[in-house]
């Protein structure tokens, strides 16, 4: 019962955010970096992704998740399951994983340093350590 | 889920440290969401079909994840004005992530080319929703690792307790 009550509250919060998105589209349909009419997306050849800031993957370059990776798939929009383990496609996944790992490492270093400084400051003043919340 | 990952046995055989079932659920469920998001974000790897269905799955997982941590949301929100309250930075990151990820999934549904048309639902396909999807995906890919890393002590603690074997007789 408690779970259902909390689930209903979550659905309500998410619905509010979606409604804000719809209102954004209705009353101010422009986003950072684009004009009111949207941005034209040039599409040439058989591309599997053509985001507004798309670039063709240069030799030796890192393919971002929203960059274009040119693969000859006969002009089809998507990839089939057999394409998943192609080395050129795996590079996209590796790039995302490396990006996330780099951000995580940076946050952990900053957070650990901050905790270390705060702990030494508390040790000097004789204050008790803070209680962690939500950690079981 | 059971509250223990070990079964009592006599002798000095090594055993895993006891971890509460709810903690294990949080740990593995969150790990799966992180993995799914990483794969879904890598559009060039998944292709459109897997990207869209995985995105819908992440949307449902997001609702469950929020529900499982709703007590924390309420508790931390109430303590925001308390100068001694903790988790303010995490609360702000989580709020931004809630907006970014919800709009990312919603805009993804709005521009769906395969999943929703397959279910007989007509999608919007307007430049606004396309741009919003790209923008929120880029914000989300920056916020998800921050969201995870801010809990690195909990992740390290639970991971160590679940993966490390200790000889019987030692305190936990």
């Amino acid at each position: 019962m408690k779970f259902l009550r909390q689930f209903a509250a979550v659905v309500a919060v998410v619905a509010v955010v979606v409604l804000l998105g719809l209102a954004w589209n209705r009353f101010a349909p422009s986003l950072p970096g684009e004009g009111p009419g949207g941005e034209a997306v040039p599409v040439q050849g058989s591309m599997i992704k053509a985001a507004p800031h798309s670039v063709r993957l240069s030799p030796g370059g890192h393919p971002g998740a929203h960059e274009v990776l040119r693969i000859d798939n006969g002009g089809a929009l998507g990839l089939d399951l057999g394409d998943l383990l192609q080395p050129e496609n795996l590079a996209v996944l590796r790039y995302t994983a490396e990006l996330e790992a780099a951000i995580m490492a940076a946050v952990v270093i900053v957070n650990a340093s901050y905790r270390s400084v705060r702990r030494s400051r508390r040790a000097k003043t004789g204050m008790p350590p803070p209680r962690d919340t939500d950690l079981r | 889920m059971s509250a223990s990952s070990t079964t009592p046995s006599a002798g000095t055989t090594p055993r895993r440290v006891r971890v509460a079932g709810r903690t294990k659920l949080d740990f593995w469920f969150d790990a799966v969401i992180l993995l799914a998001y990483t794969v879904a974000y890598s559009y060039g790897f998944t292709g459109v079909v897997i990207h869209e269905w995985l995105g819908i799955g992440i949307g449902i997982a997001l609702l469950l994840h929020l529900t499982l941590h709703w007590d924390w949301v309420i508790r931390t929100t109430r303590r925001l004005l308390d100068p001694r309250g903790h988790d303010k930075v995490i609360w702000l990151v989580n709020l931004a992530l809630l907006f970014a990820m919800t709009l990312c999934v919603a805009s993804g549904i709005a521009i769906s080319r395969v999943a929703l048309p397959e279910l007989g639902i007509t999608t919007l396909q307007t430049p606004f929703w396309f741009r919003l999807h790209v923008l929120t995906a880029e914000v989300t890919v920056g916020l998800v690792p921050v969201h995870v890393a801010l809990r690195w002590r909990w992740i390290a603690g639970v991971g160590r307790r679940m993966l490390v074997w200790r000889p019987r007789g030692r305190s936990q």
Side-chain angles (χ1 to χ4, degrees), chain B residues 23-42:
Chain B
T23 305
K24 280 197 282 189
L25 171 69
D26 285 340
F27 185 86
W28 288 116
F29 185 54
D30 295 355
V32 168
I33 296 175
L34 175 64
L35 184 68
Y37 177 75
T38 306
V39 173
Y41 182 81
S42 308

Side-chain angles (χ1 to χ4, degrees), chain B residues 73-87:
Chain B
V73 172
I74 299 297
R75 203 167 55 236
T76 312
T77 306
R78 279 185 185 145
R79 278 201 308 242
L80 276 180
L81 295 176
D82 180 359
R84 291 179 60 198
H86 305 300
D87 295 345

Side-chain angles (χ1 to χ4, degrees), chain A residues 58-81:
Chain A
S58 59
H62 290 290
H66 289 287
E67 291 171 351
V68 168
L69 189 63
R70 192 180 182 83
I71 295 171
D72 183 13
N73 61 352
L77 278 169
L79 297 171
D80 60 32
L81 285 170

Side-chain angles (χ1 to χ4, degrees), chain B residues 17-172:
Chain B
V17 177
R18 188 180 292 268
V19 178
R22 173 57 202 277
T23 305
K24 280 197 282 189
L25 171 69
D26 285 340
F27 185 86
W28 288 116
F29 185 54
D30 295 355
V32 168
I33 296 175
L34 175 64
L35 184 68
Y37 177 75
T38 306
V39 173
Y41 182 81
S42 308
Y43 186 97
F45 174 68
T46 60
V48 68
V49 178
I50 294 171
H51 175 80
E52 288 190 7
W53 285 113
L54 207 50
I56 291 169
I58 288 170
I60 295 164
L62 174 69
L63 292 175
L64 292 176
H65 177 80
L66 268 167
T67 305
L68 289 171
H69 296 282
W70 192 246
D71 284 334
W72 179 89
V73 172
I74 299 297
R75 203 167 55 236
T76 312
T77 306
R78 279 185 185 145
R79 278 201 308 242
L80 276 180
L81 295 176
D82 180 359
R84 291 179 60 198
H86 305 300
D87 295 345
K88 286 191 179 74
V89 174
I90 299 177
W91 189 89
L92 282 173
V93 168
N94 291 357
L95 182 68
L97 192 55
L98 168 70
F99 272 83
M101 212 159 200
T102 302
L103 291 175
C104 186
V105 173
S107 56
I109 288 170
I111 60 169
S112 171
R113 284 179 297 171
V114 179
L116 265 71
E118 198 150 294
L119 298 172
I121 299 167
T122 311
T123 53
L124 299 171
Q125 304 287 350
T126 61
F128 172 82
W129 292 108
F130 183 82
R131 283 284 297 140
L132 184 65
H133 189 59
V134 174
L135 179 71
T136 51
E138 283 168 2
V139 171
T140 306
V141 82
L143 287 175
V144 163
V146 176
H147 174 77
V148 174
L150 284 172
R151 285 294 186 208
W152 68 273
R153 291 173 73 237
W154 180 84
I155 294 165
V158 174
R160 195 166 48 235
R161 274 154 60 200
M162 289 207 310
L163 299 174
V164 171
W165 290 76
R166 288 184 182 171
R168 287 193 67 82
R170 283 179 61 181
S171 61
Q172 291 179 18

Side-chain angles (χ1 to χ4, degrees), chain A residues 7-28:
Chain A
F7 186 74
V10 167
V11 170
V13 168
V14 167
V16 167
V17 177
V18 173
L19 285 174
L20 286 174
L22 289 168
W24 188 357
N25 178 36
R26 177 75 178 81
F27 298 110

